[in-house]
Amino acid sequence: MAGRPRDDRARNVILRRAADIASQDGLEGLSIGRLATDLGVSKSGLFGYFGSKEELQLATIRTATGIYLDEVIQPALTVPPGLGRVRRLCENWLSYSQRRVFPGGCFFFAVTAEFDARPGRVRDAVAAASLDWSRLVTRTIDDARQLGELADDTDADQLAFELIAFLETANARSLLHDDPNAYERGRTAIRKHLDAATADPGNTA
Amino acid sequence: MAGRPRDDRARNVILRRAADIASQDGLEGLSIGRLATDLGVSKSGLFGYFGSKEELQLATIRTATGIYLDEVIQPALTVPPGLGRVRRLCENWLSYSQRRVFPGGCFFFAVTAEFDARPGRVRDAVAAASLDWSRLVTRTIDDARQLGELADDTDADQLAFELIAFLETANARSLLHDDPNAYERGRTAIRKHLDAATADPGNTA
DNA sequence: CCTACCGATCGGTAGG
DNA sequence: CCTACCGATCGGTAGG
């Protein structure tokens, strides 16, 4: 299945560039010819790595998932479970978007809106990645709750929905309006929200 | 500028269909040939109404804006200013998304992610529509604050950011995961958030 | 508002 | 992994 090391390196270079293009112009806007020209190889040579455009799209999603793991998730797992890890996960996400690890902002935000109404394997792969992320945030919140750092009656699924909403909206607003305040709005919303959910018997919010 | 009434009617039919297609496949996925075939007219005949693909895209955005006004904004203005109008605006938005007024969910969510990283007139038009909507939500919240229905220190811009985040995330999750609970998550988040912001000197959240 | 066409680009293939 | 090509489709135009 895996080619020689040299092939793998070439493949990685191709897919990193593909993910950058897709974050800006979408996975449909990503064309084999353009990608080949950008990288200075022949179209059919590049095509041979993947066999079809759909396979290129799926491989690009896997590459983006790996980068997301490295940039957002892994560094948060160095923090012990609890509220601190929840905060770190959110901050890593905002930083990943703000630093433009992908030039078009969050890769998954870009391709979700593109494929959410187009049934097929690409949509399925995007939906699976989104679900994995959503479950990780939920689990991290629930850990904090079980450790007594969030109120006992915290609905982890609901709070995860709300935090993810703030992250994605900060990303979207920053991109669409070149608004540098977007990330501060997101940070404020997250801080306020997590403070409101901290274990505090007198808190009714 | 405006053609005969017959032309205007034909134009509206074309643009309504264009908005439906764009909500699912994007404004680039909207092709003049496909649109012409769908509507049973010649490609050049349809082209003549607009003169370029970019003009078709801009006209489609204007049509979608009109539908958004009719479905979301106008019916909320029948409610007197205050917290009730804020709630009505949010509920109208969720209903507009949930009823699939556009088959691909919110038209503007779909085209924002598509064009947020592609400078040009289309992005500018999408950004302007987004800003208008954002300002309307902010103003509606600030009216409620001035009427004493929201806490005096409510940051209307910040609260608008948060409510819009819940709306868009409910839309996105419903589309990507065929999740019927997405809208209830959105409604819960909005209710909880507005309750926490209601005028109440003892509330520290 | 039609038919017929333009050059460019798409995904994909043949042949070496 | 290259050159050269395939049919299909793109936005747009000529001519009537």
Side-chain angles (χ1 to χ4, degrees):
Chain A
M1 209 62 179
R4 293 159 299 165
R6 217 191 121 105
D7 278 4
D8 285 352
R9 269 202 299 278
R11 235 182 100 100
N12 280 343
V13 170
I14 293 167
L15 289 171
R16 190 57 179 84
R17 181 92 188 93
D20 280 354
I21 292 173
S23 77
Q24 292 178 293
D25 297 331
L27 281 164
E28 284 303 330
L30 172 71
S31 91
I32 296 169
R34 175 186 168 189
L35 188 55
T37 305
D38 274 19
L39 295 166
V41 297
S42 74
K43 204 177 77 170
S44 71
L46 192 147
F47 188 86
Y49 280 95
F50 307 103
S52 75
K53 175 155 184 182
E54 192 178 60
E55 288 300 333
L56 168 62
Q57 291 172 324
L58 294 169
T60 302
I61 291 167
R62 284 192 292 271
T63 292
T65 301
I67 292 165
Y68 192 86
L69 281 167
D70 290 345
E71 295 281 344
V72 179
I73 295 174
Q74 291 293 353
L77 300 182
T78 64
V79 177
L83 192 54
R85 184 182 282 184
V86 176
R87 291 190 196 276
R88 182 66 188 273
L89 209 51
C90 291
E91 182 50 37
N92 286 354
W93 199 99
L94 290 168
S95 167
Y96 144 84
S97 168
Q98 191 165 15
R99 283 180 291 121
R100 298 288 187 259
V101 170
F102 297 107
C106 177
F107 174 90
F108 293 97
F109 182 80
V111 303
T112 289
E114 187 183 7
F115 276 90
D116 62 14
R118 300 192 207 186
R121 296 172 67 204
V122 174
R123 184 185 112 134
D124 292 347
V126 172
S130 161
L131 205 57
D132 283 348
W133 164 243
S134 198
R135 284 185 177 141
L136 175 71
V137 177
T138 300
R139 210 176 319 122
T140 308
I141 289 169
D142 210 55
D143 287 347
R145 186 187 65 80
Q146 289 188 23
L147 289 163
E149 296 181 28
L150 288 174
D152 255 358
D153 64 349
T154 298
D155 181 337
D157 272 310
Q158 179 69 31
L159 186 53
F161 172 96
E162 294 164 4
L163 296 183
I164 290 170
F166 299 146
L167 300 176
E168 293 185 352
T169 301
N171 175 75
R173 195 170 290 207
S174 163
L175 287 161
L176 187 61
H177 297 117
D178 294 314
D179 178 4
N181 295 324
Y183 294 105
E184 273 317 304
R185 288 237 175 275
R187 288 188 176 94
T188 298
I190 286 161
R191 196 182 323 114
K192 207 178 76 174
H193 229 61
L194 287 178
D195 286 352
T198 49
D200 172 7
N203 176 20
T204 56
Chain B
M1 207 62 178
R4 291 159 300 164
R6 219 192 119 106
D7 278 3
D8 285 352
R9 270 202 298 278
R11 236 183 99 100
N12 280 343
V13 170
I14 293 166
L15 290 171
R16 190 56 178 85
R17 181 92 189 94
D20 280 354
I21 292 172
S23 77
Q24 293 178 291
D25 298 330
L27 281 164
E28 286 301 331
L30 174 70
S31 92
I32 297 168
R34 174 186 169 190
L35 188 55
T37 305
D38 274 18
L39 295 165
V41 297
S42 75
K43 202 177 79 169
S44 72
L46 191 147
F47 188 87
Y49 279 96
F50 307 102
S52 75
K53 174 156 184 182
E54 191 178 60
E55 288 299 333
L56 168 62
Q57 291 172 324
L58 294 169
T60 301
I61 293 168
R62 284 192 292 272
T63 292
T65 302
I67 292 165
Y68 192 86
L69 281 168
D70 290 346
E71 295 281 342
V72 179
I73 295 173
Q74 290 295 351
L77 300 183
T78 63
V79 177
L83 192 53
R85 185 181 280 184
V86 176
R87 291 190 196 276
R88 182 67 189 271
L89 209 50
C90 292
E91 181 50 37
N92 286 354
W93 199 99
L94 290 169
S95 165
Y96 143 86
S97 168
Q98 192 165 15
R99 282 180 293 121
R100 299 290 188 258
V101 170
F102 297 108
C106 178
F107 174 91
F108 293 97
F109 182 80
V111 302
T112 289
E114 186 182 7
F115 277 90
D116 60 14
R118 301 191 206 186
R121 296 173 67 206
V122 173
R123 184 184 113 133
D124 293 346
V126 172
S130 161
L131 204 58
D132 283 349
W133 163 244
S134 198
R135 283 183 178 144
L136 175 71
V137 177
T138 300
R139 210 177 318 122
T140 307
I141 290 169
D142 210 56
D143 287 347
R145 186 188 64 79
Q146 288 187 23
L147 288 163
E149 298 182 27
L150 288 174
D152 254 358
D153 63 350
T154 299
D155 181 337
D157 273 310
Q158 180 69 33
L159 185 53
F161 173 95
E162 295 165 3
L163 296 183
I164 290 170
F166 299 146
L167 300 176
E168 292 184 351
T169 301
N171 176 75
R173 194 169 290 209
S174 161
L175 287 161
L176 187 62
H177 297 118
D178 294 315
D179 178 3
N181 295 325
Y183 294 107
E184 274 316 305
R185 287 238 175 275
R187 287 190 176 95
T188 298
I190 287 162
R191 195 183 323 116
K192 206 178 76 174
H193 228 61
L194 287 178
D195 286 352
T198 50
D200 171 9
N203 176 21
T204 56

